[in-house]
């Protein structure tokens, strides 16, 4: 028996409302899982063009009832089917009877591989039974309990284990009906059948444990004599499902160990013969010797050839250990000039001159020195050395900046045969660091792999050995998390070990209806001082035509991965951390003929290829990785190479089913998302060119990340800081009619705070609600610390929730940095839910800080800023930013954050502004169609007339799809390169005093701007 067609499981509220709107008839209904209460449901009913949502809650006895107001008698039902049948009659308390069921949309559950997941010599089992759209087996006469009992009776006692027969007989006579009843209620797991599997495999656990122990003992003797045994022997899980996952993990480990054991022993014996002359010398037990603790390598002095403005060519050297800069003028009688690090007041980059740098020294007799380096790579390396020098000799005990390495590699089921040092030192192709800083170790390493054939311990030892050889430092393991062969390991420098707290790990399965771990994600979260970080490594669905499935995988991971602090559990993981790093084999492909791809690759025309990249397209369409950032790609596609070299792509493969074509693609990616006004800079992004064991190349990315210090609580007796919300307006995408409140979360608050219900609400466009809260609806928020030094690094998380079902209709993040030193400041940003943009919000905040708590210090990343050069300042003076109509095609070296374009016409109506009038304010060479430039994307909008005579209808705009823009391909507009940009693609609240919508399109960088 299948689940009811009107039960849509865990679809979002927005998707449910869209389905009901598409149905269009009063009495249309569906049931979905509640987003606010686990185990509860939401009954969505369409009546008079509005969606009414009722919560269905279970009681202590498991009976279901529709939540009613106090004093109204509730009707209880055994299951959802009985409840729906009971409310199909009028006058039962709903606004209308349940008349027309909105059935689940059919989606093929095809998990077939396109060949990219195949390992050398691997074979795959036949796929499981096909599933219905609701996730249950399709109805079949062969699945009836009577027929199953008949099959059991036909089996001879010798053809099946005698112990399993009574278990099966008991299950088919009794417990199978309980599982069927749970399936009708929408439960995906078969609890009673899991118990049978658990009992059948019970003895297998102990046999595998004993075998693994013996094999690992052999491996440790010949490979790691002083190491501990691998922690593969896990305790039996608490539930049958956990038990089966544990068993599958053990079987995978056993297969990997058996396949590699003989090779490892052979290598160990060969090394022993070579190093110890084992064939000639008698075996003697070595004396116990304590290995000396390795010291980090000293920093060498690095020199750069530069051109000093007004002084000519010189050589400047940076001595980190001594804390000095040496200027060798090579001419005249001045010789070498020494500048100590404490005399350097500020270092300034020029935005229009990528290789230019200005150093401001404290002496009034010495004007600022303007240096021109040989390349931008040399300049960035010199800036990195200056920061390291400043940090090494700083009198401050607080850490301001750390360097983070994020790597991803699909190992293709093959153990690496050589060194991985080039991966961890970012040597290869793309945006790579200068050789002067390439060998400098990073503070945090997050290493993600897919199709990893090695055990956890073996892989961790491999990483630590590689880092030790590269840096002479024994890195400390923070955490390692695995899901089948998907693995994520995080390491830190030993001196940072005490700064790491609140470490959490989690995993999510997305393979075969979210039940198998061959695809999915693993995650690690931590708190570095006061900065929260999340790391996610994923392996998404393969196949050139599976982009939609990959989008769904991303949304499932975003929603289900349980990382971070519990107080933020109501938000998806994209809003739980100051910085979220997402890497993995995302499997997005290039929608282009393989021969055309190869032609572009041979010419290094990567920017042209990005136009055919599926991930780029899905980000443009806001279907995946909304508001995430990715550095521009300057390296060739990392998949699908011929194993053993990097000279050619193996994009054709002959199989029994015919020719398999897998064009080269950028499957392996690193993206990130950070809170607004947080300091983060991507310093490298590329791939190796000397690791050949897989058909994927390892990918690396490094980041300079600002660190927040720990706060101290303010004494209760002293004056406390406060956060005042003066007013808020929001527009949310919904067809409901509920009242709403706003919930505030922050690390600077003791607990979440809630506003009163909105005091204004209107619906001028069907499908959208405009909400308003006055200052009376908010109480003051009191942070736990009143220090300005702490508050300016904090953020407020908003969640707009309905008063009836307590479900979220949108979340956002607002930085307090820009409002801590002002009387009142406005904010405006987008609202998202489950990774989808669904509205916008604006308002005003005021942060009061007591006078004796307003001390602040300059951060190390504020010591280095960005400045316009004189020509650019003059150009801005002659041509103000508002005169910029069309952006040029020259990309900037640094890239700002994700998609921002204020061009969605559906939202102009809320301010009573017709689309045509709004577009005509932007110069356009064509009068037949209006063109709006949003960074690198030109959007054509059709003419919409008649708005002065009738109200705007949503049907005017539903056919207009407004693409976003991407950070990596940001074009340069000479007269508006420094303009700030709001964070939403929905122009809900056009500013009345700004005539050009493009003035607010650009977002400032996280670095400090100097003028």
């Amino acid at each position: 028996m299948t689940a009811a067609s009107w039960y849509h499981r865990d679809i979002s509220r927005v998707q449910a409302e869209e389905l009901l709107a598409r149905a269009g008839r009063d009495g249309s209904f569906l049931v979905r899982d509640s987003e606010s209460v686990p185990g509860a449901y939401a009954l969505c009913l369409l009546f008079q063009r509005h969606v009414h949502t009722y919560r269905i809650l279970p009681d202590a006895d498991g009976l279901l009832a529709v939540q009613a107001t106090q004093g109204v008698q509730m009707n209880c039902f055994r299951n959802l089917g009985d409840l729906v049948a009971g409310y199909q009659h009028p006058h039962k308390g709903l606004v209308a009877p349940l008349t027309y069921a909105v059935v689940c949309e059919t989606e093929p559950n095809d998990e077939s591989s396109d060949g990219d997941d195949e390992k050398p010599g691997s074979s795959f089992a036949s796929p499981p039974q096909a599933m219905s759209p609701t996730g249950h087996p399709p109805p079949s006469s062969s699945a009836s309990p009577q027929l199953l009992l008949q099959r059991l009776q036909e089996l001879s006692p010798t053809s099946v284990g005698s112990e399993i027969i009574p278990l099966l007989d008991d299950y088919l006579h009794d417990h199978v009906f309980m599982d069927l009843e749970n399936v009708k209620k929408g439960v995906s797991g078969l609890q009673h059948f899991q118990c049978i599997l658990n009992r059948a495999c019970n003895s297998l656990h102990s046999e595998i444990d004993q075998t693994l122990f013996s094999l690992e003992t052999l491996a440790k003797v010949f490979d790691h004599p002083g190491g501990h045994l691998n922690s593969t022997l896990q305790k039996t899980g608490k539930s049958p499902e956990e038990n089966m996952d544990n068993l599958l993990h053990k079987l995978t480990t056993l297969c990997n160990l058996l396949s590699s054991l003989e090779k490892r022993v052979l290598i160990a014996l060969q090394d022993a013969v070579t190093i110890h002359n084992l064939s000639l010398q008698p075996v003697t037990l070595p004396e116990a010797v304590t290995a000396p603790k390795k010291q980090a390598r000293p920093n060498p002095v690095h020199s750069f050839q530069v051109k000093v403005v007004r002084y000519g060519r010189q050589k400047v050297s940076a001595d980190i250990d001594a804390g000095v800069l040496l200027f060798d003028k090579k001419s005249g009688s001045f010789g070498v000039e020494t500048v100590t690090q404490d005399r350097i007041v500020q270092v300034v980059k020029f935005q229009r001159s990528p290789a230019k740098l200005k150093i401001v020294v404290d002496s009034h007799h010495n004007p600022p020195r303007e240096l021109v380096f040989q390349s931008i790579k040399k300049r960035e390396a010199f800036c990195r050395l200056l920061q390291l020098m400043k940090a090494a000799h700083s009198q401050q005990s607080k850490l301001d900046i750390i360097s983070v390495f994020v790597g991803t590699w699909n190992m293709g089921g093959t153990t690496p045969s050589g060194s991985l040092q080039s991966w961890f030192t970012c040597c290869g192709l793309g945006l790579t660091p200068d050789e002067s800083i390439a060998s400098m170790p990073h503070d945090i390493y997050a290493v993600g792999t897919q199709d990893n054939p090695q055990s956890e311990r073996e892989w961790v030892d491999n990483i630590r050995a590689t880092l030790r050889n590269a840096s002479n430092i024994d890195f400390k393991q923070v955490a390692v998390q695995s899901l089948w062969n998907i693995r994520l390991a995080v390491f830190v420098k030993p001196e940072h070990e005490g700064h790491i707290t609140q470490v959490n790990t989690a995993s999510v399965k997305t393979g075969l209806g979210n039940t198998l771990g061959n695809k999915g994600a693993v995650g690690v979260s931590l708190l570095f001082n006061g900065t929260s970080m999340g790391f996610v490594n994923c392996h998404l669905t393969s196949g050139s035509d599976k982009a939609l499935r990959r989008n769904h995988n991303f949304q499932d991971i975003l929603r289900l991965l349980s990382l971070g602090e519990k107080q933020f559990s109501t938000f998806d993981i994209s809003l739980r951390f100051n910085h979220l790093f997402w890497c993995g084999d995302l499997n997005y492909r290039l929608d282009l003929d393989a021969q055309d791809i190869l032609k572009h690759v041979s010419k290094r025309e990567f920017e042209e290829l990005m136009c055919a990249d599926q991930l780029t397209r899905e980000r443009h369409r806001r279907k995946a990785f909304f508001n995430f950032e990715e550095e521009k790609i300057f390296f060739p596609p990392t998949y699908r190479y011929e194993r053993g070299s990097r000279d050619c792509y193996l994009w054709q493969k002959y199989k029994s089913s015919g020719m398999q074509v897998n064009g080269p693609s950028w499957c392996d990616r690193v993206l990130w998302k950070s809170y607004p006004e947080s300091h983060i800079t991507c310093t490298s992004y590329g791939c190796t060119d000397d690791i050949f064991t897989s058909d994927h190349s390892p990918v690396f990315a490094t980041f300079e990340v600002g660190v927040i210090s720990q706060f101290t609580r303010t004494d209760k007796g002293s004056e406390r800081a406060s956060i005042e919300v003066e007013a808020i307006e929001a527009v949310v995408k919904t067809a409901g009619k509920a009242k709403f409140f706003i919930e505030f979360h922050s690390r600077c608050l003791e607990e979440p705070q809630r506003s009163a219900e909105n005091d204004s609400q209107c619906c001028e466009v069907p499908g959208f609600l405009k909400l308003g809260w006055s200052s009376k609806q908010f109480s003051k928020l009191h942070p736990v610390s009143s220090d300005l030094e702490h508050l300016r690094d904090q953020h407020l998380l908003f969640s707009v929730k309905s008063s009836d079902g307590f479900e979220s209709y949108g979340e956002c993040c607002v930085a307090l940095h820009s409002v801590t030193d002002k009387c009142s400041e406005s904010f405006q940003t987008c609202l998202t839910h489950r990774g989808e943009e669904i509205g916008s919000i604006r308002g005003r905040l005021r942060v009061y800080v007591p006078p004796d708590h307003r001390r602040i210090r300059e951060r190390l990343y504020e010591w280095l800023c960005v400045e316009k050069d004189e020509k650019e300042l003059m150009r801005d003076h002659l041509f103000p930013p508002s005169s910029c109509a069309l952006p040029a095609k020259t990309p900037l070296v640094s890239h700002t954050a994700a998609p921002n374009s204020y061009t969605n016409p559906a939202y102009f109506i809320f301010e009573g502004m017709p689309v045509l009038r709004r577009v005509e304010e932007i110069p356009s060479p064509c009068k037949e169609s209006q063109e709006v430039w949003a960074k690198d994307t030109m959007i054509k909008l059709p003419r919409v007339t008649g708005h002065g005579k009738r109200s705007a209808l949503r049907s005017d705009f539903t056919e207009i799809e407004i693409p976003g823009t991407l950070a990596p391909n940001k074009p340069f507009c000479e007269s508006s390169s420094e303009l700030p940009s709001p964070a939403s693609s929905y122009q809900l609240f056009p500013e009345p005093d700004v005539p050009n919508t493009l003035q607010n399109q650009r977002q400032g960088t996280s670095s400090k701007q100097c003028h």
Side-chain angles (χ1 to χ4, degrees):
M1 184 178 297
T2 61
S5 60
W6 38 257
Y7 176 52
H8 292 245
R9 300 191 178 278
D10 59 352
I11 67 169
S12 67
R13 173 193 56 80
V14 175
Q15 290 174 311
E17 292 182 356
E18 288 176 348
L19 290 174
L20 290 169
R22 202 178 304 163
R25 294 190 291 182
D26 286 353
S28 299
F29 73 95
L30 60 84
V31 178
R32 58 177 174 83
D33 292 338
S34 171
E35 294 184 2
S36 58
V37 180
Y41 305 94
L43 172 62
C44 303
L45 174 61
L46 181 67
F47 182 67
Q48 293 183 353
R49 302 181 67 183
H50 289 282
V51 175
H52 300 261
T53 302
Y54 302 89
R55 277 209 296 187
I56 302 174
L57 301 175
D59 61 12
D61 298 326
L63 298 178
L64 301 176
V66 175
Q67 186 179 25
T69 56
Q70 189 174 3
V72 178
Q73 182 180 1
M74 294 191 301
N75 298 318
C76 297
F77 302 88
R78 291 180 54 196
N79 52 55
L80 283 177
D82 293 345
L83 185 146
V84 168
Y87 283 97
Q88 288 179 340
H89 306 285
H91 312 300
K92 292 294 184 180
L94 306 183
V95 294
L98 307 181
T99 309
Y100 307 105
V102 177
V103 300
C104 296
E105 294 180 334
T106 303
E107 180 183 341
N109 197 11
D110 180 20
E111 292 288 343
S112 59
S113 170
D114 64 349
D116 68 324
D117 296 326
E118 296 183 26
K119 291 84 180 171
S122 65
S123 61
F124 295 89
S126 59
Q129 182 182 359
M131 308 294 281
S132 72
T134 57
H136 302 292
S140 171
S141 59
S142 63
S144 64
Q146 293 78 12
L147 184 57
L148 295 175
L149 276 170
Q150 181 181 353
R151 289 180 181 175
L152 178 62
Q153 294 169 359
E154 292 174 356
L155 292 174
S156 62
T158 57
S159 65
V160 67
S162 58
E163 296 181 358
I164 201 69
I165 291 180
L167 293 177
L168 273 173
D169 186 73
D170 181 58
Y171 175 75
L172 293 176
H173 276 96
D174 188 9
H175 296 102
V176 67
F177 299 101
M178 299 181 185
D179 278 345
L180 285 172
E181 191 66 28
N182 288 333
V183 169
K184 285 197 296 182
K185 294 179 180 179
V187 178
S188 58
L190 302 178
Q191 179 183 358
H192 299 282
F193 184 73
Q194 286 280 355
C195 292
I196 290 185
L197 287 179
N198 188 29
R199 294 180 63 179
C201 300
N202 202 20
S203 60
L204 189 57
H205 277 279
S206 59
E207 294 180 9
I208 292 179
D209 286 346
Q210 185 176 359
T211 305
L212 276 175
F213 185 84
S214 302
L215 294 179
E216 288 178 346
T217 302
L218 286 172
K220 294 304 178 183
V221 168
F222 287 96
D223 197 2
H224 301 287
H228 297 287
L229 289 179
N230 186 8
S231 56
T232 309
L233 311 180
Q234 304 176 17
K235 295 182 179 180
T236 303
K238 296 181 180 180
S239 67
E241 184 179 0
E242 292 176 353
N243 232 350
M244 292 307 300
D245 285 343
N246 189 13
L247 180 62
L248 290 171
H249 175 72
K250 290 179 181 179
L251 287 171
T252 303
T253 305
L254 181 61
C255 292
N256 293 335
L257 194 56
L258 280 172
S259 62
S260 62
L261 185 58
E262 184 177 354
K263 182 179 179 181
R264 290 162 62 180
V265 174
L266 177 62
I267 293 174
L269 293 178
Q270 289 173 344
D271 291 342
V273 170
T274 303
I275 299 173
H276 302 290
N277 198 15
L278 188 63
S279 60
L280 301 177
Q281 300 293 334
V283 178
T284 58
L285 295 176
E287 296 182 3
V289 178
T290 303
K293 186 177 180 181
K294 292 188 176 183
Q295 299 292 330
R297 296 191 180 100
N299 295 301
V301 178
H302 297 281
S303 301
F304 300 84
Q305 296 293 334
V306 299
K307 180 180 179 182
V308 183
V309 177
R310 295 190 297 272
Y311 293 99
R313 296 190 177 277
Q314 295 184 13
K315 182 175 74 172
V316 58
S317 302
D319 189 339
I320 296 178
D321 295 335
V324 297
L325 289 182
L326 304 173
F327 289 88
D328 187 358
K329 301 182 179 180
K330 292 185 178 180
S331 62
S333 59
F334 297 100
V336 178
E337 180 185 4
T338 301
V339 178
T340 58
Q341 58 84 23
D342 57 321
R343 293 181 56 201
I344 303 175
V345 178
Q346 196 167 49
V347 178
V348 184
K349 295 179 183 180
F350 289 90
Q351 191 173 27
R352 290 296 311 280
S353 303
K356 191 176 180 181
L357 191 72
K358 180 166 68 176
I359 300 178
V360 182
V361 184
D362 60 355
S363 174
H364 296 289
H365 302 289
N366 294 326
R369 304 163 191 245
E370 295 186 2
L371 314 180
V372 180
F373 289 79
Q374 294 175 334
S375 66
I376 183 174
K377 183 182 289 189
K378 295 290 184 183
R379 186 193 75 172
E380 294 304 310
F382 183 75
C383 291
R384 172 67 175 156
L385 293 172
L386 287 183
Q387 286 182 325
L388 292 174
M389 180 192 302
K390 197 74 171 178
H393 298 274
S394 174
Q395 301 299 321
Q396 296 285 346
S397 59
K398 298 177 179 178
L399 198 63
D400 286 338
I401 292 180
I402 61 174
S403 179
V404 177
F405 172 96
V406 179
T408 178
W409 183 27
N410 187 320
M411 298 174 65
T414 305
T415 302
S417 57
S419 172
L420 301 178
Q421 187 163 323
S422 61
W423 185 20
F424 294 102
T425 55
C426 303
C427 296
L429 307 173
L431 178 61
T432 57
D434 186 67
E435 62 272 9
S436 59
I437 61 172
S439 60
M440 290 186 175
H442 302 280
D443 298 287
I444 296 179
Y445 286 84
V447 185
T449 55
Q450 309 83 39
D451 292 339
N452 188 336
Q454 296 181 297
S455 65
E456 268 189 12
R457 175 55 55 191
E458 190 175 8
W459 177 239
V460 166
D461 290 343
N462 194 349
I463 297 175
R464 294 187 65 181
T466 303
L467 293 176
R468 189 184 305 114
N469 293 334
S471 63
N472 220 38
I473 298 175
D474 285 317
F475 276 78
K476 300 296 183 180
Q477 176 184 323
V478 176
V480 58
Q481 177 69 10
S482 298
L483 174 67
W484 291 24
N485 290 336
I486 306 171
R487 197 153 291 140
L488 176 63
V490 179
F491 303 85
V492 295
K493 283 184 176 178
E495 60 264 32
H496 298 324
E497 192 175 14
H499 298 287
I500 303 293
T501 58
Q502 299 185 21
V503 178
N504 291 304
T505 61
S507 63
V508 170
K509 302 173 184 176
T510 62
L512 192 62
N514 293 0
T515 60
L516 297 183
N518 64 318
K519 295 292 189 293
V522 292
V524 173
S525 63
L526 56 89
L527 194 65
F528 192 108
N529 284 349
T531 302
S532 59
M533 298 184 188
F535 301 92
V536 177
N537 170 40
C538 70
H539 195 182
L540 305 186
T541 300
S542 62
S544 299
D545 57 344
K546 300 293 195 315
L548 180 61
R549 179 66 56 81
R550 287 187 277 273
N551 294 348
H552 292 167
N553 291 162
F554 165 74
Q555 293 164 1
D556 289 337
I557 296 168
L558 201 68
R559 177 173 53 92
L560 299 175
L561 198 62
S562 180
L563 290 175
E565 302 171 62
K566 289 184 179 180
Q567 61 173 317
F568 300 136
S569 59
T570 57
F571 300 88
D572 64 55
I573 60 172
S574 68
L575 285 173
R576 294 181 197 171
F577 307 103
N578 293 94
H579 306 284
L580 175 63
F581 301 95
W582 196 301
C583 68
D585 182 359
L586 307 187
N587 256 322
Y588 287 96
R589 308 303 175 89
L590 290 173
D591 286 333
L592 202 63
D593 183 75
Q595 294 289 357
D596 293 333
I597 295 174
L598 294 175
K599 290 179 183 178
H600 286 294
V601 171
S602 64
K603 299 178 182 179
R604 299 188 63 81
E605 296 174 341
F606 303 140
E607 193 166 358
E608 287 79 358
L609 277 179
M610 290 304 295
C611 298
D613 177 59
Q614 290 180 350
L615 179 57
T616 301
R617 182 192 66 205
E618 298 306 309
R619 291 180 63 207
H620 268 286
R621 298 175 58 215
R622 289 170 168 74
K623 299 301 182 182
F625 292 95
F626 173 67
N627 269 348
F628 277 74
E629 301 180 54
E630 184 184 26
E631 184 56 66
K632 189 171 183 178
I633 290 180
F634 291 102
F635 52 91
T638 55
Y639 167 84
R640 178 182 192 186
Y641 282 106
E642 182 179 13
R643 295 173 188 258
S645 75
R646 286 298 175 265
D647 296 330
C648 62
Y649 292 96
L650 188 65
W651 55 275
Q652 286 181 320
K653 187 171 183 179
Y654 292 94
K655 302 178 67 176
S656 58
S657 58
M659 173 109 72
Q660 184 76 51
V661 176
N662 285 308
S665 299
W666 283 291
C667 292
D668 313 283
R669 312 286 272 268
V670 178
L671 300 96
W672 75 96
K673 183 180 180 182
S674 300
Y675 280 171
E677 300 187 44
S678 299
H679 178 78
I680 182 170
T681 304
C682 184
T683 53
S684 69
Y685 190 31
C687 68
T688 64
D689 58 356
D690 60 351
I691 299 176
F692 308 141
T693 52
S694 171
D695 51 2
H696 293 253
S697 287
V699 170
F700 53 80
T702 57
F703 302 87
E704 178 188 289
V705 180
V707 175
I708 303 171
S709 58
Q710 295 281 14
F711 66 89
T712 56
R713 292 177 178 270
T714 304
D715 296 335
K716 293 183 179 180
S718 60
E719 187 180 9
R720 298 183 63 184
S722 63
I723 304 172
E724 298 180 30
V725 184
E726 297 186 355
I728 286 182
E729 288 181 295
V731 174
V732 295
K733 182 180 180 182
T734 180
K737 295 182 66 176
K739 299 288 285 185
F740 296 86
F741 64 90
I742 299 178
E743 201 168 67
F744 301 97
H745 296 251
S746 177
R747 291 185 182 88
C748 68
L749 298 178
E750 194 76 51
E751 58 184 12
Q753 301 293 322
R754 181 184 298 181
S755 74
E757 289 184 346
N758 58 301
D759 49 8
S760 68
Q761 182 169 318
C762 62
C763 176
E764 299 180 15
V765 174
F768 295 87
L769 275 182
K770 183 177 181 180
L771 314 172
W773 289 264
S774 63
S775 58
K776 298 178 181 180
Q777 312 304 110
F778 304 101
S779 57
K780 285 186 179 181
L781 308 177
H782 293 284
V784 294
S785 175
S786 296
D787 291 336
L788 180 59
E789 176 74 20
H790 169 68
L791 285 177
R792 67 175 182 152
D793 290 324
Q794 298 306 304
H795 297 79
L796 274 182
L797 297 181
F798 292 46
S799 179
V800 180
K801 293 187 173 182
S802 62
S803 298
D804 52 5
F806 297 97
E807 291 188 329
S808 177
Y809 281 61
E811 305 95 36
C812 71
C813 177
V814 176
L816 298 183
H817 186 280
S818 59
V819 300
T820 49
D821 57 350
K822 300 178 182 178
C823 294
S824 179
E825 182 71 13
S826 62
F827 67 88
Q828 179 170 313
T829 184
C830 63
L831 287 171
T832 63
H833 186 60
R834 291 191 174 186
E836 179 185 359
E837 185 184 22
I838 61 171
S840 187
I841 187 170
R842 73 172 179 179
R844 297 190 70 85
L845 287 176
R846 177 180 182 270
V847 178
Y848 169 75
V849 179
D852 57 337
H853 290 275
R854 295 178 183 175
R855 294 182 300 273
I856 61 173
R857 63 181 179 87
E858 185 182 49
R859 311 295 173 84
L860 185 57
Y861 51 82
E862 295 172 335
W863 175 69
L864 192 153
C865 67
V866 180
E867 183 183 72
K868 295 180 181 181
D869 54 24
E870 296 178 359
K871 293 182 180 180
E872 187 175 357
L873 289 173
M874 180 62 68
R875 188 180 297 110
D876 283 348
H877 177 72
L878 296 175
F879 305 99
S882 60
S883 65
C884 176
L886 300 179
K889 295 295 182 181
T890 307
L892 278 177
V893 176
S894 60
H895 312 295
T896 58
N900 295 309
S901 68
Y902 273 65
T903 50
N904 194 327
Y907 287 93
F908 294 152
I909 309 305
F910 288 102
E911 297 295 326
M913 186 172 296
V915 177
L916 181 61
R917 181 178 132 206
R918 188 67 178 176
V919 173
E920 285 179 340
E921 293 171 351
I922 303 174
S924 173
C926 179
K927 295 185 179 181
E928 291 299 321
S929 62
Q930 303 296 332
E931 296 179 349
V932 178
W933 283 86
K935 293 189 180 176
D936 59 339
T937 305
M938 185 181 71
I939 303 165
K940 292 187 177 183
L941 304 180
R943 289 184 174 272
V944 182
T945 58
H947 283 244
K949 299 180 181 180
R950 64 172 177 86
S951 299
L953 300 178
R954 177 149 179 76
S955 59
D956 294 329
F957 314 114
T958 51
E959 298 303 317
I960 305 174
E961 183 173 359
I962 306 301
T965 57
L966 292 178
N969 300 321
K970 172 186 169 187
F972 175 72
C973 180
E974 291 185 345
S975 56
S976 63
S977 60
E978 294 298 314
L979 295 178
S981 165
S984 170
S985 66
Y986 289 60
Q987 176 65 1
L988 310 185
F989 313 107
E991 296 292 341
D993 55 340
V994 180
N996 195 326
T997 58
L998 290 179
Q999 288 193 27
N1000 292 323
Q1001 272 188 278
R1002 298 197 176 276
Q1003 183 175 8
T1005 63
S1006 59
S1007 302
K1008 179 180 177 182
Q1009 303 295 319
C1010 303
H1011 299 281

